[in-house]
Amino acid sequence: MSRPELQAPPEIYYGDVESKKYTNNTRVQQIQADMTYRALELLNLPEDEPQFLLDIGCGSGLSGEILDEAGYTWVGVDIAPSMLAEEVALEREVEGDLFLQDIGQGFGFRPGSFDGAISISVLQWLLNAETSHPTSSPPHRLTRFFTTLHSALRNPARAVFQFYPTSDDQVQLITSIAQKAGFGGGVVVDYPNSKRARKVYLCLFVGDGGAQVPRGLEGD
Amino acid sequence: MVRLITHNLLACHAKNCNTNNFPLQLKDVQVEQREAEFNPDFLRGFMPRIEWKALVEAAKQVGDTSLPLEQPEMLDDEFLKQLHHVLLEIHIDEGALVCPNCGHVYPIMNGIPNMLLAENEIG
Ligand SMILES: [Zn+2]
């Protein structure tokens, strides 16, 4: 099967049937949960301080459940209405507020709203142009996304994205636009030599100038 | 599922709508009360982020007049409990958020605001 983001835009690909398949598949759930825990680890939030987080592409609420468990207050955005629909996300009774939003159109959150942001398996969707309109080009959408996200975060803060790039050029495009939007940081690759376990995270910093990009995990 | 905490952070993001685009006006809203765990540390940490006037006004629009008009300096438990209720226990289920500047209407259905913009509204 070809990669989902090449088949159709997410709001169409994740129609009702695919949404249910996606959230009911326990192996997918386990991988999603593991990546969420790893993203939280990379977020490196101060311990024992309540935090207000943004979950980008919160989908069915899998990551939201983990944020609830960890005691974080959060807001989630997703473009696929079915992923947010009552029978999926609301049924999970997650605590966070949910928004139907195309992240490529940017956010309207006031400056300094969030202590951090996480995003699991979403960023690659911004690499596909859906129409020929200039605001649909991947660079335009990435710029709008990273600029408004940078402003919505506090200083210092981090944003961590697990994503599935298909080429180094894609990684280059994403990181260069994030840098232009004001972010520091870079890419973390876990298990780089394992075909099965390899995972790519973009770990971005607002402020926090001296911070090093965390090291990826080694082994298989 | 939109609470006033989130409403207090949200401005209009339509193209060229940069001034007078906050707070979004609540229109024809239906609200529901749902209990949430009281976390005074979270509230204390969050206080500096609140636009107080906008919060008092939004609370009034959904029928809650418990907050003082000025943001108090003394954060005693009684005040924090009122703030907790207003920020985290009042959920907007239906209605709309309307931009005071450009008039864009963000409808709320099943507790989820639709923030999607038309192509000509994208910045
Ligand atoms: Zn507006």
Side-chain angles (χ1 to χ4, degrees):
Chain A
M1 197 182 82
S2 75
R3 297 165 61 94
E5 69 269 23
L6 300 179
Q7 290 182 31
E11 68 275 24
I12 294 168
Y13 182 79
Y14 291 120
D16 287 336
V17 175
E18 284 297 331
S19 285
K20 284 208 174 113
K21 251 201 275 180
Y22 190 74
T23 43
N24 291 339
N25 181 330
T26 49
R27 187 166 163 273
V28 170
Q29 285 192 10
Q30 189 54 51
I31 294 170
Q32 291 270 313
D34 289 346
M35 295 189 301
T36 306
Y37 286 119
R38 175 64 171 145
L40 279 173
E41 183 178 70
L42 293 169
L43 212 50
N44 197 32
L45 295 164
E47 266 174 55
D48 303 324
E49 272 178 45
Q51 307 283 336
F52 192 62
L53 303 181
L54 180 62
D55 184 358
I56 299 164
C58 57
S60 56
L62 286 168
S63 46
E65 275 185 348
I66 291 171
L67 297 178
D68 283 344
E69 263 168 36
Y72 297 121
T73 310
W74 57 276
V75 170
V77 299
D78 205 294
I79 196 188
S82 291
M83 295 290 266
L84 288 173
E86 230 158 332
E87 68 270 26
V88 190
L90 300 185
E91 196 175 81
R92 283 176 180 271
E93 295 199 351
V94 290
E95 302 280 336
D97 288 355
L98 305 174
F99 287 86
L100 173 60
Q101 188 149 28
D102 176 356
I103 57 172
Q105 298 182 345
F107 297 111
F109 295 112
R110 286 200 285 115
S113 290
F114 297 100
D115 297 299
I118 64 162
S119 173
I120 305 299
S121 312
V122 168
L123 213 46
Q124 67 273 1
W125 291 101
L126 284 179
L127 295 164
N128 306 303
E130 283 161 26
T131 69
S132 58
H133 197 274
T135 58
S136 295
S137 79
H140 185 96
R141 287 167 57 75
L142 285 164
T143 301
R144 186 90 187 124
F145 169 63
F146 281 124
T147 311
T148 55
L149 174 64
H150 186 273
S151 145
L153 292 168
R154 279 159 67 87
N155 183 354
R158 287 187 183 186
V160 176
F161 307 80
Q162 177 276 327
F163 72 117
Y164 293 109
T166 47
S167 70
D168 288 346
D169 284 354
Q170 289 190 342
V171 175
Q172 185 56 40
L173 177 72
I174 286 174
T175 48
S176 71
I177 292 176
Q179 272 165 13
K180 268 190 224 145
F183 283 106
V187 168
V188 177
V189 183
D190 281 354
Y191 311 115
N193 301 318
S194 161
K195 220 175 163 181
R196 210 173 52 88
R198 186 178 189 274
K199 293 283 176 298
V200 180
Y201 296 84
L202 180 64
C203 187
L204 297 179
F205 307 149
V206 178
D208 209 2
Q212 297 284 313
V213 178
R215 292 172 70 109
L217 303 174
E218 299 287 332
D220 298 310
Chain B
M1 295 266 301
V2 197
R3 295 164 296 181
L4 295 190
I5 187 174
T6 321
H7 172 262
N8 198 259
L9 297 172
L10 201 60
C12 179
H13 67 130
K15 189 177 186 175
N16 299 328
C17 189
N18 308 312
T19 54
N20 189 32
N21 61 349
F22 172 88
L24 300 176
Q25 291 155 359
L26 303 172
K27 190 164 167 262
D28 302 334
V29 293
Q30 288 173 34
V31 296
E32 185 189 346
Q33 320 274 338
R34 229 179 294 167
E35 223 170 284
E37 204 177 319
F38 179 56
N39 184 342
D41 288 340
F42 173 78
L43 295 166
R44 274 191 207 96
F46 200 81
M47 277 289 280
R49 264 174 262 188
I50 298 173
E51 283 285 344
W52 193 255
K53 239 185 97 207
L55 182 64
V56 173
E57 189 52 38
K60 211 168 79 185
Q61 283 179 33
V62 297
D64 190 301
T65 52
S66 64
L67 294 179
L69 292 179
E70 297 291 326
Q71 191 163 0
E73 278 166 34
M74 272 288 292
L75 307 181
D76 58 28
D77 248 33
E78 194 196 347
F79 165 73
L80 288 175
K81 280 192 175 137
Q82 282 164 349
L83 181 64
H84 167 75
H85 176 69
V86 169
L87 281 180
L88 297 163
E89 295 191 322
I90 302 174
H91 294 256
I92 304 169
D93 280 337
E94 303 286 334
L97 304 167
V98 182
C99 174
N101 183 42
C102 74
H104 185 98
V105 177
Y106 299 97
I108 303 171
M109 276 183 295
N110 291 322
I112 299 173
N114 180 340
M115 304 306 290
L116 300 178
L117 300 173
E119 214 153 54
N120 62 336
E121 296 173 310
I122 303 171

